[in-house]
Amino acid sequence: MEFNQYKTNEVKSNPKYKGLLQWGIENGVLMKGVDFPASFGDVIGVVASEDLPSDTVIICIPQSLIISPEKCKQSTLITVYNNHPEMFDEEETNEAEFNILTFYMFNEKKKGEQSFYYPYIQAIQTNNTLMAWSNEDLQKIEDPLILEEFQLIKQDFLGLWSKAKLIFDNAQDVFGAPRISDKSDFFWAIECVMSRCFGWALKSTCLVPIADFLNHSNKACTHYMVHSALEKGSVSNSEEQANFERQYVIKRNNMNLSILGIEADKEIQKWEDEKIKFILGNKQCLRDQNLLEDLERSSINEQRDIINMIHYEQIIQDPKLNIWDQDSLASSDSEDNDSDEEVKLEKFQEFEILKIKELAEWKIREEQKRIEKEFQSINLKNQPIVTVTLNPEKKNKVIIRGLPQYQIEAIKAKQQIINGRLRKQKEEKILSQVDDVQSREDQQWDWLDEYDQEAYFCITTTAPIKKFEQVTVSYGKRTNRFLLCWYGFALLENVYKQLADQLKLWLNTEILEDKEKSLDQILNTIIIKKLIYEDESMVDKILYNGYEIPISSLSKEFRIKKNKLDMDIISILRLFLQIKYGKEKDLLSTIPMSIDYEIVVMQFYYSMLQNLMKSYSQDLVQDLKELEQTFEYPKRFAIYINKERKEILISQSQIVEEAITILKRFKETQKLRDCYVQNMNIETVQTISIIKGLKDYLKLLYEFL
């Protein structure tokens, strides 16, 4: 969204924004190099009024303005909070902080001009989450999982209102007499907290006036809590200073705090973007050196294309280099949801353990075949029974019995290698967290007083920002699905793309044998686009498309990403299709064992992707054509997310098509590198990206076929 000076002049004269800014400045808000409010189309935000370097604090909100649960508990609502621990006690419910803030904001809104936060509340009178969308607008979102998730959220909030109304009726001495507007005001408070609160790396979930007017983007500023007296070393009590500094992390040497009159002890290290660093370090591989101009302002997709060109040249110049040997930069296509790295590590560990188990079983079968072949005349009834199981107490351990000791030791050695790799990844993550000033605060907050005028919530640049660019913050690595459900908007180009992390398969092998059903009928039956409700899980079944489906027959959830082959779904399909197509006995789910079978699996997956594409009412071309028009935001956001899903399916289909082509060539030539290099083309960078999306899969082919 481009900065609009004309509309900015209009919003600056709007009394509610003028009142908010004046209130903020009078109460200690500091700004440097930015201007608020600013207009970007119909969106209000913050604009850079000058070129801003990286690692620079540009906005400071004093702790005294921040609305935290602890501050709420110091208000007249304390008796209500104490009388209802089931709603407001952190030890009894995970929703305590949300509920505390919601009831507080409702009460402050009801106070009107008597509220200290009246200027802030006036400026955020309108919320734009899905709660405000009409049913007609909601139906434009053609993803049933998003709509189901939103309906669950809505039902939870309706339930919260039912409980709140009883509390309001019984605590009129606190909240005043009931009013017709109470329900709408309460839902306003709900939307306010759900869409505007901050939480990561803070003492608690809280609302930060003015800072919450910064919009979200993938490449954005971050936030820190800074104590100016501790940074200056000027706390009046030296013993208290020493005690607090054991908890508080000094930040003056990591960012420019001149807005607070604080100078660093040493030169602040210049910000480096890993992608740009890689490009500049390998610029000799680029045929077009003009691509290096103004790299900092290039988009993530443009930088990715340049990196793909470099990887292509490296492959062409070094005939011994395989695509999976090349440097990998941090991927930007997955959601963190506050625990993404842990989830990825756990999934990797699960996959490797299953792979070891399957390999061990396969080696056992091969050994038994060899023994049977060599000693057919010997009675083998007394041979020890070989078993391979997962230790139920320690899921990262594989128990093997009945094998010769040398084979068990070999498998153990392999396990140790993997465990070492996992430990190294965990250690690297811990070290990266230590390097991150924000995460090092580690929830030690004795130094922070709720009304401390020297404690600030600081918006800090992470990368350079040009004059007249919008200044944004990141809500995290959030998919459009998450953003739409919780914030009511979607991004046109969100780098954290994935299709339905609740997507599952019904592993109904009987339906594969039903010759009367077409492939589309089979796919429409086994693809489960439904959230699994808690009550359904308790009875171990769900109802879907007229079928009663046991939970135990569903696959785990999988995510389809735009630029990478989904290995989870390939493993699931290898297992699922064995009954009908698996003629060889030694087919495994984690490892390719037959080229012919891999082709069958990939073709089935391609059919799945095409089936999912058919569920949309219009194609991608029509979406793009509609986006050229100007219309209301609900429809635009719905098209954003529909368009994104189609782009993911198209890209994944291209990756699968390429895999099928490579497999067919590999079957004929047995020269894997030649098979995938043949289609890489510097003139169409997209083909390089497609093949890079297969690199984990290609490595497995190289190792096992």
Side-chain angles (χ1 to χ4, degrees), residues 505 511 518-528 545 573 576 604-612:
L505 283 185
I511 199 170
S518 67
L519 181 56
D520 266 346
Q521 287 176 316
I522 291 172
L523 292 170
N524 287 331
T525 303
I526 66 171
I527 298 174
I528 308 300
N545 281 351
L573 291 179
F576 177 55
F604 191 87
Y605 183 32
Y606 182 81
S607 298
M608 267 184 60
L609 296 169
Q610 297 307 300
N611 179 273
L612 288 167

Side-chain angles (χ1 to χ4, degrees), residues 449-497:
D449 180 84
E450 292 298 328
Y451 291 92
D452 192 337
Q453 287 287 351
E454 294 185 289
Y456 293 90
F457 176 96
C458 295
I459 300 293
T460 307
T461 59
T462 56
I465 301 174
K466 296 292 184 181
K467 184 177 181 179
F468 298 131
E469 283 186 345
Q470 184 173 188
V471 179
T472 59
V473 291
S474 173
Y475 302 172
K477 296 178 182 178
R478 301 304 190 189
T479 61
N480 270 341
R481 172 186 168 185
F482 187 97
L483 293 174
L484 200 57
C485 281
W486 288 95
Y487 300 105
F489 71 89
L491 300 178
L492 177 59
E493 295 295 338
N494 189 342
V495 296
Y496 306 112
K497 294 180 180 179

Side-chain angles (χ1 to χ4, degrees), residues 430-447:
I430 291 170
L431 287 174
S432 69
Q433 287 177 331
V434 169
D435 288 339
D436 187 332
V437 176
Q438 196 163 9
S439 61
R440 280 187 291 164
E441 293 182 356
D442 197 25
Q443 298 183 0
Q444 298 182 51
W445 296 94
D446 290 346
W447 58 270

